[in-house]
Structure formats: C-alpha cells, structure tokens
Amino acid sequence: MLYRSLLLVSLLTIFVTSIVPRSIPPRTGQCLPHDEIGHPANPKSQELIGYIRTGGTLEAEGVSLTDTTHYRAAATNEDVLINTIRGSLSEVPKVVSRQLSRVDSININTSHLIHLYHEVTSLSQQPGVLGVVVGFGSTLIVTAAKFLEHTIQPDKQVILTAALKPLTAYGAEGPGNILASFKTITTPGWNGVGILMNDRILRPHGTVKRNGYLHPGPGAYMADIRNFEPRLKRRHCEIPKTIDISGISPDQELPTVQTITRSIDFDIRIVEEAIARNVRSIIFVGHDDGYWPDESRFRIQELAKEHHRIVMVMVNEDPTIIVEYERVAGVMPGGDWIPDQLRIVLPFLLHLSYSKEEIQNFILEPFHVENQGGRRGS
C-alpha cells in the first residue's frame, strides 16, 4: 500500500511539473516586486519639469472627431494639448517646454536621436529641473527610450510617452499621458528612463510594441497609472552601462550597421554584398537561441574569419529568447537584445572604438548591479 501511494505521488508530481510552463529567470540583480512605494510629492515653487515635443500622434490633427487613421502627425501646437490639462497643472511644478521637431516617429533617424540626447541632457542639467518628459511617436518610442537608457546618465529621470489616437479624436489619450508623465517626474523612488503608455510605465530593455500595445521585457514592468498618477511596482536595481556621446553631433557620420534576417533558401549574397559595402557590423536575426541554416552558416563562418574586423552578432526578435552561445563561429551571441534596440546602439560603440571584447561585454552585460562597478565614458 505504501509503495502504491508513493508511486501515485510520483506520477502526480511528474504530471503537474510537465504542464507548468518554465519561466524566464530574472536578470541578475533585478529586484523582486514589492508594495507600492511611489506617491506624487508636493511640488516646490523652484522645481521645474522639462518637456520636449517631437511630434507624432500625440500632437496629431485629424479631419474629424472620429478620424483616427488619416491624421497629420505633429500638426497641432503646444497650447492645444496643454490647454486640455491646464486645470491639473497646479499639481505639478512649472513646465519648461521645447519643440525639438515635428515628425512622425516612423521618420526618426539616428540624427534625430542624437539631437534628442543633447536636448534631454541640456534640460536635465538646468537648475531646479527634476526630470524630462519627451512626447514621442509610438512606433519607435521603445527604440528611442533604449537609446536614451544607454546614453543619459542613470541618475536622471526621463519619461517618454506617446498616444495611439490623434489629439483631435474622441478619447485621445495624449493629454492624460502627458499629465501622468509630469506626475511621474515628481514621484520619488525611481530614476533612469521609462516609457508611459497603456496606463503603465515600462523600462525599455526587452520591451516591444505589438498591435498598438507595449509588452514589457523581463523585469521591465515599472509602474501602473491610476488616476493619472504612478504607482511603482518594482524597484530597479540595475544601472545601465552608458556610452558617452556628448562629443557626437547630429550630423556626425557613424559606422554602418546592417540587420540580416534568416529565411528559407537564404541567399548568402546578401551577406557578401553587405561586406562589399564596407559595413562595420552585421546583426543576424536567427532561429531560436542563435541557430542559422547550415546551407549558409558555413559560408558566414568563412566570411567572419576573413573579415574579422566586422562585428557580427546573433539575436532573436523575442527578448525572452536569450542567445548566449556562439552557434555560428565568429558571430558573437547577442543575449536578450532585440534587433532594433541593438541596431541603434552598435554604431556608437564602433565610433568610440570599443574593441570586440568590449562590445561583447556590453551586449551580454548591459547593466551594472546596483552599487557595483563604474561605467565607461560616464
């Protein structure tokens, strides 16, 4: 009888563990969720909030109150948006506003991002400025946030926010997102770069946008928004490694990086042509955790050996799939980076003459655990 009981328990254990999905382990140094710790502070008269406007749907104008598809991005001026929340601005410090650009985020390029970096840095260094809010387009908001996360000093407070409906449409969420962003800047208990959309605040690393919604990467869930105020859910224990780009101007020509995605019957000439154009780095988007079809893998290995100065990295589109092994000789693993986010950082590492070993270290360990280590260029 005892034997049967033990056998039954063993079988049940095997059955239960077989149907429970395995979770992705948290990043090293990431704190676990805890009780709400953030509440808006009472603003002081000498405190300021920086507000940088870049355009996007947040400032868009449609042809009618029901037009949410054929609007003109960045067509309205600051007063239209601010006037909708002016009655609540007494709850936050004085806002210092700058119009950086008027573009749809699909047209954002590296030059725009460098300009944004300089504006955020300039504003955040002004006396009394608590932090900076950036009004952005939703399409590339995560890419911009990831760029700022690794260029802005991590003791600053920067919130990027966007909207899915134009300012002139029913239910436009832009004004509320701006107000919530202002209140987040006055909230103690956090620093770094966050993205405020869909009534949540997320860290950029591993966060992706799908079907109009942001999906957080592992450990990226930072806060909920309730009544246009943040309620922090996670204390961030990782400090981003930062790249010093203070000496780089928006018109600086940077090394070329190309992204190449695997496919059935992949044409190796795509890689050969990229090398012929003197690219400095190739990001390969492979299968699963770094696999590449044998038909072209062997040729890629030969090319990596012949052109060893070219930095080749293997990643996956899904940040929960970690590429940690070098499955193609000469192509370094890309960890949990996704292509677009790595693509915006690599040119700066190359321009600043990071070695292959330093680039590999930055990719696999993009954060310092709290109170540990220094940062190159910071």
Side-chain angles (χ1 to χ4, degrees):
M1 180 64 70
L2 178 60
Y3 173 78
R4 289 183 178 179
S5 299
L6 291 174
L7 180 60
L8 179 60
V9 170
S10 299
L11 290 173
L12 285 172
T13 301
I14 293 171
F15 174 73
V16 171
T17 55
S18 67
I19 63 174
V20 176
R22 295 180 182 272
S23 59
I24 301 297
R27 296 180 59 85
T28 302
Q30 181 66 60
C31 288
L32 297 177
H34 56 78
D35 294 337
E36 299 171 348
I37 60 174
H39 297 280
N42 294 323
K44 300 176 182 178
S45 59
Q46 71 271 23
E47 292 177 341
L48 304 169
I49 294 176
Y51 174 34
I52 297 175
R53 309 187 315 278
T54 66
T57 307
L58 193 74
E59 300 177 356
E61 181 179 46
V63 297
S64 70
L65 291 170
T66 58
D67 176 23
T68 62
T69 55
H70 301 293
Y71 52 82
R72 292 185 299 129
T76 60
N77 59 45
E78 173 197 8
D79 291 339
V80 176
L81 191 152
I82 292 297
N83 282 341
T84 62
I85 58 173
R86 193 170 297 280
S88 299
L89 291 183
S90 60
E91 304 172 22
V92 300
K94 180 181 177 182
V95 176
V96 179
S97 178
R98 293 182 182 177
Q99 186 82 51
L100 179 64
S101 59
R102 289 186 177 276
V103 296
D104 190 318
S105 71
I106 63 172
N107 297 316
I108 291 290
N109 56 31
T110 302
S111 178
H112 287 114
L113 293 179
I114 296 173
H115 197 179
L116 176 61
Y117 157 81
H118 286 294
E119 285 295 310
V120 171
T121 300
S122 173
L123 260 180
S124 63
Q125 291 176 345
Q126 288 191 14
V129 172
L130 298 174
V132 178
V133 172
V134 179
F136 211 78
S138 64
T139 300
L140 289 182
I141 191 170
V142 178
T143 300
K146 186 58 181 171
F147 165 75
L148 291 177
E149 181 174 58
H150 288 291
T151 53
I152 297 295
Q153 291 303 305
D155 60 333
K156 306 300 181 183
Q157 290 181 312
V158 180
I159 289 291
L160 287 82
T161 190
L164 300 178
K165 295 179 182 178
L167 184 58
T168 52
Y170 287 125
E173 69 274 36
N177 285 351
I178 290 294
L179 178 61
S181 297
F182 289 164
K183 290 189 175 185
T184 300
I185 293 297
T186 67
T187 301
W190 73 279
N191 55 19
V193 178
I195 307 167
L196 192 153
M197 278 188 69
N198 312 129
D199 288 326
R200 299 186 299 181
I201 304 177
L202 308 177
R203 299 285 182 179
H205 191 81
T207 295
V208 295
K209 181 188 176 188
R210 298 192 187 102
N211 299 321
Y213 288 88
L214 296 184
H215 298 266
Y221 202 134
M222 176 179 160
D224 288 320
I225 299 298
R226 301 179 193 168
N227 299 323
F228 304 103
E229 296 178 355
R231 293 294 181 263
L232 300 183
K233 295 296 185 182
R234 183 180 293 273
R235 186 166 62 87
H236 202 60
C237 298
E238 296 174 329
I239 303 172
K241 292 181 179 178
T242 55
I243 311 164
D244 182 4
I245 67 168
S246 58
I248 300 178
S249 66
D251 58 357
Q252 173 72 54
E253 185 175 348
L254 296 172
T256 303
V257 177
Q258 181 166 338
T259 301
I260 296 177
T261 303
R262 82 281 184 238
S263 64
I264 296 176
D265 301 324
F266 178 79
D267 189 347
I268 191 61
R269 287 175 296 182
I270 297 174
V271 181
E272 295 170 339
E273 289 168 1
I275 293 173
R277 291 196 305 274
N278 295 318
V279 299
R280 289 286 306 281
S281 178
I282 298 175
I283 300 172
F284 290 99
V285 184
H287 290 289
D288 303 322
D289 59 340
Y291 288 96
W292 194 271
D294 287 346
E295 186 177 3
S296 51
R297 176 170 66 89
F298 299 112
R299 178 56 179 155
I300 290 174
Q301 291 178 164
E302 292 174 355
L303 292 170
K305 186 175 181 179
E306 293 171 14
H307 304 275
H308 58 88
R309 290 187 67 254
I310 298 177
V311 175
M312 299 185 183
V313 189
M314 183 72 70
V315 299
N316 191 290
E317 302 103 326
D318 187 341
T320 65
I321 299 177
I322 301 174
V323 180
E324 56 182 329
Y325 300 109
E326 186 180 285
R327 301 194 183 280
V328 180
V331 180
M332 66 178 66
D336 58 358
W337 287 77
I338 55 179
D340 288 348
Q341 293 189 2
L342 184 58
R343 166 64 183 79
I344 202 62
V345 172
L346 265 179
F348 296 97
L349 298 177
L350 294 165
H351 177 76
L352 295 171
S353 300
Y354 277 57
S355 67
K356 270 192 172 182
E357 291 73 22
E358 289 174 315
I359 291 174
Q360 177 74 99
N361 179 264
F362 185 95
I363 289 173
L364 294 182
E365 294 293 337
F367 296 91
H368 296 292
V369 178
E370 193 172 43
N371 298 325
Q372 291 186 12
R375 292 177 298 280
R376 172 175 177 160
S378 57

